[in-house]
Amino acid sequence: MSYNIALNFEDGVTRFISCNEGETVLDAAYRNQINLPMDCSDGVCGTCKGSCHQGEFDLGEEYIDEALSDEEAEQGKILTCQMVPSSDCVVEIPVASTMCKTGIAEVAGTVAEVNLISATAIELKITAAVDVGFLPGQYMNIRVPGTQETRAYSFSSKPGSRDLSFLIRNVPGGLMSSYLVGTAKTGAELTLTGPMGSFYLRPVARPVLMLAGGTGLAPFLSMLEHLKANGCDQPVHLIYGVTNDEDLVCVAALEAFAAELDNFSFATVVASDDSSHPRKGYVTNHMEGAPLNDGDVDVYLCGPPPMVDAVLGYFREQGIEPNSFHYEKFTPSVTAVEEKVA
């Protein structure tokens, strides 16, 4: 038996390795030609210290307190030289991937479909050469064919498949948008690098509030695919805001998730005064269905910078400090990842 271990480095790069039963994460990484920090490999120096808050594992009793204290272990800190997984795990490595003689993985793919699902949104489907592992919420860099330029897009599909999908903002005159709308053909070759990002779904142990703006809906579609496949017994509520009525996309997919996931609900919001939508304004104007739970809630937010700033301001004004708060800002040409954990 083996387990999938996601090594999440501090520069946002994620590499997946296979760890055999009874094997330490450090040994598995070295077997996969990833040189994690290490001085002793005996639980003495503490150089290989990281964190794991997702998955089951055993640390044994062979390490000393100076390398890893009981308090640190209770906080989710681990020593990769002692950590023996008993399930799939996500391990946070507090150094850059380049310091471990690894980096962003490159994946070849071909265009499967390009769908202009609204005037402002494009659905891109790609068939990858291999199954692509990622954490739901992460993104890939996709090279614009014929250039050396890349654009970062969040997965909207479920992890671990060759069939990838992305929800992309249609930017008039944009390099990738122009390619997809005017040039791309089925079977065209694409180069992707990643996965990347510290914005991803953590274990669901309490109510979850998801806040999406525009094509910032993409990572939440991936998260919901993950929850549908793995189950969820906590309330999950999504508020999805756009500028104009025609910007609302993938509503049928959200309705399907609501039908399949007992604890999932969602609301859509349109900002334009000219909208005929029943809920007008911004996501912060329609928090009545949000499971804020006096702060015992995990909040995930993905949208344009003004939306992110407005939501952060809302929580400050309301005096609400969520258990955790993860957010990602994006601009039309590049995804800028920024995360705060309360």
Side-chain angles (χ1 to χ4, degrees):
M1 179 179 291
S2 63
Y3 305 106
N4 290 320
I5 308 300
L7 302 175
N8 206 20
F9 297 92
E10 70 173 8
D11 55 358
V13 173
T14 299
R15 295 301 305 269
F16 284 80
I17 62 171
S18 174
C19 188
N20 296 323
E21 190 169 10
E23 186 177 31
T24 67
V25 170
L26 182 68
D27 287 343
Y30 272 80
R31 182 169 51 78
N32 285 270
Q33 300 181 330
I34 298 175
N35 295 343
L36 296 182
M38 179 272 290
D39 279 338
C40 72
S41 77
D42 295 318
V44 174
C45 68
T47 303
C48 68
K49 189 180 298 180
S51 301
C52 181
H53 302 283
Q54 189 164 336
E56 302 295 328
F57 59 89
D58 181 24
L59 284 176
E61 299 179 355
E62 299 300 320
Y63 60 90
I64 64 173
D65 190 68
E66 285 76 8
L68 184 73
S69 67
D70 290 342
E71 182 181 2
E72 288 177 316
E74 291 174 1
Q75 294 170 350
K77 298 289 186 181
I78 54 89
L79 299 175
T80 60
C81 76
Q82 301 298 306
M83 178 183 173
V84 178
S86 53
S87 75
D88 295 346
C89 294
V90 178
V91 181
E92 305 288 341
I93 306 298
V95 297
S97 59
T98 52
M99 299 295 290
C100 301
K101 296 186 178 179
T102 188
I104 306 173
E106 186 171 286
V107 178
T110 57
V111 174
E113 293 181 35
V114 178
N115 300 311
L116 189 62
I117 56 177
S118 78
T120 56
I122 302 167
E123 180 187 50
L124 171 61
K125 295 186 177 182
I126 295 173
T127 302
V130 296
D131 288 348
V132 178
F134 58 91
L135 303 174
Q138 289 191 305
Y139 67 91
M140 287 286 261
N141 290 315
I142 305 177
R143 185 183 303 159
V144 183
T147 78
Q148 294 302 309
E149 296 286 330
T150 62
R151 295 294 183 265
Y153 300 115
S154 298
F155 292 96
S156 58
S157 50
K158 64 181 179 181
S161 171
R162 294 179 59 202
D163 299 320
L164 313 178
S165 64
F166 303 87
L167 186 61
I168 296 171
R169 182 180 173 188
N170 185 13
V171 181
L175 197 61
M176 182 64 86
S177 298
S178 297
Y179 167 74
L180 293 175
V181 173
T183 307
K185 290 181 170 44
T186 301
E189 296 182 355
L190 293 172
T191 300
L192 303 83
T193 52
M196 297 186 68
S198 55
F199 182 79
Y200 59 86
L201 184 66
R202 272 64 175 181
V204 178
R206 58 186 55 79
V208 172
L209 174 61
M210 300 175 171
L211 302 172
T215 52
L217 179 66
F220 297 115
L221 295 174
S222 180
M223 292 180 186
L224 290 169
E225 288 283 6
H226 175 81
L227 293 178
K228 184 176 75 171
N230 293 276
C232 178
D233 59 4
Q234 293 288 336
V236 178
H237 185 64
L238 166 70
I239 307 177
Y240 168 33
V242 298
T243 302
N244 300 299
D245 289 345
E246 58 268 27
D247 299 328
L248 280 175
V249 298
C250 301
V251 176
L254 295 177
E255 290 172 343
F257 283 124
E260 295 165 340
L261 287 166
D262 291 339
N263 297 302
F264 173 65
S265 59
F266 75 96
T268 53
V269 180
V270 179
S272 173
D273 291 335
D274 297 327
S275 170
S276 59
H277 196 274
R279 285 176 296 277
K280 293 183 182 179
Y282 302 100
V283 296
T284 51
N285 301 131
H286 298 277
M287 300 286 278
E288 60 274 4
L292 297 179
N293 210 29
D294 294 327
D296 188 24
V297 59
D298 293 328
V299 179
Y300 295 84
L301 165 62
C302 184
M307 176 188 174
V308 174
D309 295 339
V311 171
L312 291 171
Y314 171 85
F315 281 115
R316 284 195 297 268
E317 291 169 5
Q318 298 298 315
I320 298 171
E321 186 174 349
N323 176 76
S324 69
F325 193 179
H326 312 276
Y327 64 87
E328 182 177 55
K329 294 181 180 181
F330 66 80
T331 62
S333 61
V334 66
T335 299
V337 178
E338 185 174 351
E339 179 176 22
K340 170 187 172 184
V341 180

